[in-house]
Amino acid sequence: MALEDHLTPEMQALMTRAQTEMKQENWHDAAESLTVIYETIATFDMNYRLVTALFMDEQYQLAASYADDFLLNYLEEETDFRMLVALAIQNQNFVYAQQLVMLWQDETVQAAVLSDIRDAEVRAKTTMATTFQTIARQFYHLSDYSIMEQRDRYESARHLPVDEFIVGARYLLVDPFATPIIRATLLEDLQKLQVAEPVQYRWLDDEIYTIALNQLPLLTDSEIFEEIADYLDEKVGQDDPIALDLLAQQVRFELTLLYPRVTEVVTDPEGWVDASIDQYYERRNLSEMAEQRKWHETVRDLTTNFFEN
């Protein structure tokens, strides 16, 4: 069934207008028309038309935000994938651009698109040298700022050239004053960049470890993450979908803080889930093993403090 078959007569008229505007390369008006339709028909087909119109109208940030609605769909075809990366490059979101490239399987295409990113970084270093120096300085000294400011400066740092981001990330990963949540997020970012060299990091016990991130699965691809997700769904999903969603977010955050040493801490995945459920429903839990409970309380407190600030 064609997209047009889903539209009311009013929306059909708007769609016809949008198609005419796109043929005339009147991208701004086309994007406005398509935005109205997309609010009613939020399909990938409509999303693609809207993102294309916004891209051609040079509204790159808005286009990227809409593309995120159907991220996996844009990773199915090479032309769609290349547009997604081009958006990230236009927004000078170089870290995210490279992370997207690492999701593509064809190494020849990977190499070509990575070359595009490197070229864009060179151009940006020329035109934004002073800005990059400021962003890098604030990133490397992230622990000097409040939690809210750290979030903003971290997001700004993702617009640095990838090599400069990695330098700062390596420094912060062993910085005793960087928050555990920042360090955990940095590890995840470096892993998604597929950094090949071993990385040193300070963990929750304040000890420094060395790891090869490219030899580990992402947390969400690990067996223990899938096991815990299955337990949650089994114990909560049917009865309380809202609780399932909130608990899934909570557990995902907790396990991120424990990564890459999750299996050393969570020796009883079902007990971890039961304790999380009891905490959510404000029930007392006495079954979780002492050592696991200690770490569970630690990451729970860190999570609570982070979201309250």
Side-chain angles (χ1 to χ4, degrees), residues 195-206:
V195 172
E197 299 79 11
V199 170
Q200 285 193 316
Y201 68 96
R202 185 182 299 273
W203 195 61
L204 296 176
D205 59 3
D206 215 31

Side-chain angles (χ1 to χ4, degrees), residues 96-156:
Y96 181 57
Q98 181 157 322
Q99 289 173 338
L100 288 172
V101 174
M102 295 301 106
L103 297 173
W104 195 255
Q105 299 302 314
D106 188 311
E107 292 185 0
T108 302
V109 174
Q110 261 194 3
V113 181
L114 281 173
S115 179
D116 291 341
I117 296 172
R118 298 289 87 84
D119 290 343
E121 288 174 335
V122 170
R123 292 193 297 272
K125 285 179 181 179
T126 301
T127 59
M128 298 182 61
T130 303
T131 300
F132 281 160
Q133 287 174 4
T134 300
I135 293 172
R137 183 173 63 253
Q138 292 177 341
F139 181 46
Y140 299 168
H141 298 281
L142 206 62
S143 56
D144 294 345
Y145 302 94
S146 69
I147 294 293
M148 286 297 294
E149 289 175 315
Q150 286 185 37
R151 295 175 196 168
D152 292 341
R153 282 159 174 72
Y154 192 126
E155 190 55 38
S156 294

Side-chain angles (χ1 to χ4, degrees), residues 131-292:
T131 300
F132 281 160
Q133 287 174 4
T134 300
I135 293 172
R137 183 173 63 253
Q138 292 177 341
F139 181 46
Y140 299 168
H141 298 281
L142 206 62
S143 56
D144 294 345
Y145 302 94
S146 69
I147 294 293
M148 286 297 294
E149 289 175 315
Q150 286 185 37
R151 295 175 196 168
D152 292 341
R153 282 159 174 72
Y154 192 126
E155 190 55 38
S156 294
R158 291 168 60 82
H159 294 264
L160 288 170
V162 173
D163 58 349
E164 293 184 30
F165 176 83
I166 291 173
V167 169
R170 285 181 175 275
Y171 171 77
L172 287 167
L173 280 171
V174 295
D175 180 1
F177 301 107
T179 65
I181 287 171
I182 290 295
R183 295 199 298 261
T185 308
L186 285 165
L187 273 179
E188 187 173 23
D189 264 339
L190 292 185
Q191 189 176 33
K192 288 178 179 178
L193 287 169
Q194 294 192 13
V195 172
E197 299 79 11
V199 170
Q200 285 193 316
Y201 68 96
R202 185 182 299 273
W203 195 61
L204 296 176
D205 59 3
D206 215 31
E207 296 292 329
I208 292 179
Y209 300 86
T210 302
I211 197 163
L213 289 170
N214 63 341
Q215 295 178 13
L216 288 174
L218 288 168
L219 169 64
T220 49
D221 294 334
S222 65
E223 289 184 14
I224 192 162
F225 184 89
E226 292 176 0
E227 188 176 355
I228 286 175
D230 288 343
Y231 278 132
L232 258 180
D233 189 53
E234 174 188 323
K235 293 170 182 283
V236 180
Q238 296 290 332
D239 304 319
D240 194 341
I242 294 175
L244 176 64
D245 184 53
L246 293 172
L247 281 165
Q249 293 179 44
Q250 171 76 16
V251 168
R252 165 76 163 85
F253 210 79
E254 291 171 354
L255 298 183
T256 298
L257 286 166
L258 294 172
Y259 189 84
R261 316 185 74 79
V262 179
T263 54
E264 296 176 28
V265 171
V266 186
T267 54
D268 176 17
E270 188 170 9
W272 188 279
V273 170
D274 286 339
S276 296
I277 294 171
D278 287 340
Q279 172 75 12
Y280 177 83
Y281 288 111
E282 298 182 350
R283 299 190 301 239
R284 193 177 182 192
N285 180 283
L286 299 175
S287 62
E288 192 169 25
M289 293 179 290
E291 185 65 16
Q292 179 171 293

Side-chain angles (χ1 to χ4, degrees), residues 16-35:
T16 301
R17 184 197 307 170
Q19 290 172 331
T20 301
E21 289 163 345
M22 292 181 79
K23 286 178 183 177
Q24 295 174 347
E25 298 186 1
N26 185 358
W27 301 111
H28 185 78
D29 289 346
E32 288 190 342
S33 299
L34 291 166
T35 299

